[in-house]
Amino acid sequence: MAFLFVLIVGLIAGTISGIVGTGSSIMLMPVLVYAYGPKEAVPIMAVASVMANFSRILAWWREVDWRACAAYSVTGIPAAALGARTLLALPSHAVDITIGLFLIAMVPVRHWLARHDLKANLWHLAIGGAVIGYLTGIVVSTGPLSVPLFLFYGLSRGAFLATEAASSLGLYFAKSVTFERFGALTMDVFVKGLIAGSSLMSGAFVAKRFVLHLKPETFRLVMDAIMVAAGLSMLWNATHAT
């Protein structure tokens, strides 16, 4: 029954994230925590995120800006591995609290970034990759930070979705490898990640047909609501666990 619930939420999350460029981890993580606990949920989500980003690359392959991807990934990949190692040293309830507070805090941060007409170049992507990569290793999703960074670089629609996914793929892969090396990514956890990831991949291809009809304002409001709800859910779980 838990697998079915994860698959349903994953399909919805994959579809929405395939349209707005982020949100799959934010929506699916509370479900994974409820089903498997925070220590298993984080590596499960890392595997699923690799699959989700790979599917967005396949859907928009011709649109990837490989220069932007390289600039972001060269610093982001080692930083994500370091962040994942930091995460493994934290107790379970601290993981819930960290993720919950981060998701809620990203709502005002995203609005602040949106109000400033910032422009980014390749150097900014490299610096952002290091910071966001480390945070990605610790928390579930840093899409609210990486999304505006790539938008400020000048990417939009298919090019934005493909390049952000290609850049994030390396970070989540490094995170998964780190989990495996330190014993957090067992075969059982890996299989659960494949199950969750398959639903996210399906959603990404469903989403492609909707991208050209996207209403950004509506989805920004939906994303704010999702982040607050997911953050509160994680905090409730931490409080309940203690």
Side-chain angles (χ1 to χ4, degrees):
M1 195 66 186
F3 283 160
L4 180 60
F5 189 38
V6 168
L7 286 172
I8 292 172
V9 175
L11 179 62
I12 297 171
T15 301
I16 293 178
S17 67
I19 296 173
V20 300
T22 187
S24 60
S25 300
I26 295 169
M27 286 179 279
L28 189 55
M29 186 62 182
V31 177
L32 295 177
V33 170
Y34 177 79
Y36 308 120
K39 280 297 185 180
E40 276 198 13
V42 174
I44 289 171
M45 193 66 246
V47 173
S49 295
V50 170
M51 297 174 66
N53 283 293
F54 185 66
S55 66
R56 290 217 300 272
I57 296 171
L58 290 178
W60 300 96
W61 176 258
R62 297 179 183 275
E63 303 287 337
V64 178
D65 185 326
W66 292 109
R67 290 183 64 204
C69 177
Y72 184 85
S73 300
V74 71
T75 56
I77 290 175
L82 179 60
R85 183 66 187 95
T86 303
L87 172 67
L88 292 176
L90 298 174
S92 295
H93 71 278
V95 175
D96 278 340
I97 293 172
T98 300
I99 295 172
L101 291 176
F102 184 85
L103 293 177
I104 295 171
M106 282 304 95
V107 174
V109 169
R110 188 188 67 76
H111 282 277
W112 182 87
L113 291 171
R115 286 198 302 270
H116 294 73
D117 187 22
L118 305 178
K119 302 296 181 183
N121 56 35
L122 292 176
W123 282 107
H124 295 137
L125 290 180
I127 296 171
V131 176
I132 297 171
Y134 182 73
L135 292 174
T136 299
I138 298 176
V139 301
V140 181
S141 174
T142 49
L145 287 177
S146 62
V147 165
L149 180 63
F150 284 100
L151 291 176
F152 294 148
Y153 181 70
L155 301 177
S156 63
R157 294 194 179 185
F160 156 69
L161 292 171
T163 305
E164 196 277 336
S167 302
S168 297
L169 180 65
L171 272 61
Y172 284 110
F173 183 75
K175 187 174 180 178
S176 299
V177 170
T178 302
F179 286 144
E180 191 280 330
R181 181 178 178 185
F182 288 96
L185 185 57
T186 63
M187 182 54 67
D188 180 59
V189 169
F190 182 70
V191 171
K192 291 173 181 175
L194 291 180
I195 293 172
S198 64
S199 62
L200 294 178
M201 291 185 75
S202 301
F205 286 97
V206 172
K208 186 175 181 179
R209 70 181 65 183
F210 297 109
V211 171
L212 295 178
H213 304 288
L214 175 65
K215 293 182 179 180
E217 297 79 7
T218 301
F219 282 102
R220 288 188 190 115
L221 291 174
V222 171
M223 191 54 56
D224 285 348
I226 290 171
M227 284 192 288
V228 171
L232 291 175
S233 173
M234 300 296 292
L235 292 176
W236 179 89
N237 189 73
T239 305
H240 184 73
T242 56

